[in-house]
């Protein structure tokens, strides 16, 4: 599914407002009237950029999936470091600093994907890119393809799962658990 993102800086403002509302109230909350009010503009500006609400939702999905895929491709680039070092850096990136806005959008899109084929296709394309790129890192450590793919699956299960857990022992305990788990995900073969 290829959806064109409007090539208009002002369209991006509507898309960003759509993401904020999506994170707050789900796809049913992404309504032209609500976004116009939140932006302090009239609905007319919306219709100069988008045919209708469905076009905005499509543009949001395209923007999100394109952005997430570009991010994982950049984040998995070796750039002179080993695959294990890159994997450790990824774990650190996703576990030490929580981007609550991005996580809220991610969760909202995944919830939306449960009932909407377009959202499901966008989430599937992002997941495929994430698993492919991290799988390539595991292959670069010397793992056979099937094991690398399984490790990539565990890696993302950990990355997203740990961000959803509330630990009663606080941030220090969380950091210790993440470090210990990361060690298991990026063990040197001995």
């Amino acid at each position: 599914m290829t959806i064109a993102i409007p090539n208009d800086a002002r369209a991006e403002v509507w898309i960003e407002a759509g993401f904020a509302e999506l994170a707050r109230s789900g796809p049913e909350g992404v309504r032209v009237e609500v976004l116009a009010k939140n932006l302090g503009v009239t609905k007319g500006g919306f219709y100069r950029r988008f045919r209708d609400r469905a076009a905005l939702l499509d543009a949001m999905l395209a923007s999100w999936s394109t952005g997430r895929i570009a991010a994982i491709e950049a984040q998995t680039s070796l750039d002179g470091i080993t695959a294990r070092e890159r994997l450790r850096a990824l774990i650190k990136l996703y576990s030490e600093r929580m981007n609550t806005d991005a996580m809220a959008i991610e969760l909202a899109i995944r919830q939306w994907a449960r009932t909407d084929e377009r959202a499901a296709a966008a989430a599937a394309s992002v997941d495929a890119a994430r698993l492919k790129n991290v799988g390539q890192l595991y292959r670069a450590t010397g793992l056979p393809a099937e094991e690398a793919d399984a490790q990539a699956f565990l890696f993302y299960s950990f990355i997203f799962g740990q961000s959803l857990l509330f630990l009663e022992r606080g941030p220090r305990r969380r950091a210790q658990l993440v470090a210990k788990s990361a060690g298991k995900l990026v063990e040197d073969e001995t």
Side-chain angles (χ1 to χ4, degrees):
M1 171 176 89
T2 304
I3 301 168
I5 301 172
N7 189 13
D8 175 347
R10 194 70 183 136
E12 282 299 315
V13 171
W14 286 95
I15 290 169
E16 289 303 314
F19 283 137
E21 197 56 41
L22 176 70
R24 190 173 18 262
S25 57
E28 53 285 336
V30 181
R31 296 188 334 263
V32 178
E33 300 80 18
V34 171
L35 301 182
K37 181 181 178 199
N38 292 348
L39 291 170
V41 297
T42 65
K43 294 188 303 183
F46 173 86
Y47 291 106
R48 284 191 290 279
R49 287 156 185 89
F50 298 97
R51 178 180 68 256
D52 54 20
R53 177 180 177 269
L56 170 65
L57 294 174
D58 287 345
M60 288 170 57
L61 289 171
S63 176
W64 178 78
S65 62
T66 300
R68 295 299 81 227
I69 291 169
I72 194 58
E73 288 174 354
Q75 293 162 351
T76 56
S77 171
L78 290 176
D79 293 330
I81 67 172
T82 70
R84 288 186 199 289
E85 290 169 327
R86 177 55 66 205
L87 287 163
R88 286 184 191 103
L90 274 172
I91 291 168
K92 185 175 181 175
L93 172 69
Y94 285 104
S95 62
E96 286 187 1
R97 64 178 183 96
M98 182 75 67
N99 182 338
T100 55
D101 292 338
M103 184 54 81
I105 292 166
E106 177 99 22
L107 291 172
I109 287 176
R110 290 185 178 283
Q111 182 63 30
W112 182 14
R114 294 169 55 105
T115 59
D116 183 278
E117 289 181 22
R118 296 167 306 161
S125 70
V126 169
D127 289 344
R130 286 172 170 162
L131 292 170
K132 178 189 116 197
N133 283 278
V134 171
Q136 288 172 343
L137 289 177
Y138 277 111
R139 282 180 192 75
T141 70
L143 287 179
E146 194 170 301
E147 286 182 49
D149 292 344
Q151 278 297 110
F153 186 82
L154 283 171
F155 181 94
Y156 272 104
S157 296
F158 168 73
I159 291 297
F160 287 105
Q162 65 82 30
S163 70
L164 298 174
L165 296 177
F166 292 93
L167 301 178
E168 47 186 53
R169 293 195 197 162
R172 185 172 187 191
R173 178 67 178 140
R174 175 187 223 67
Q176 291 170 338
L177 285 170
V178 166
K180 189 85 166 160
S181 300
K184 297 287 185 191
L185 286 169
V186 194
E187 284 181 329
D188 291 323
E189 295 297 312
T190 53

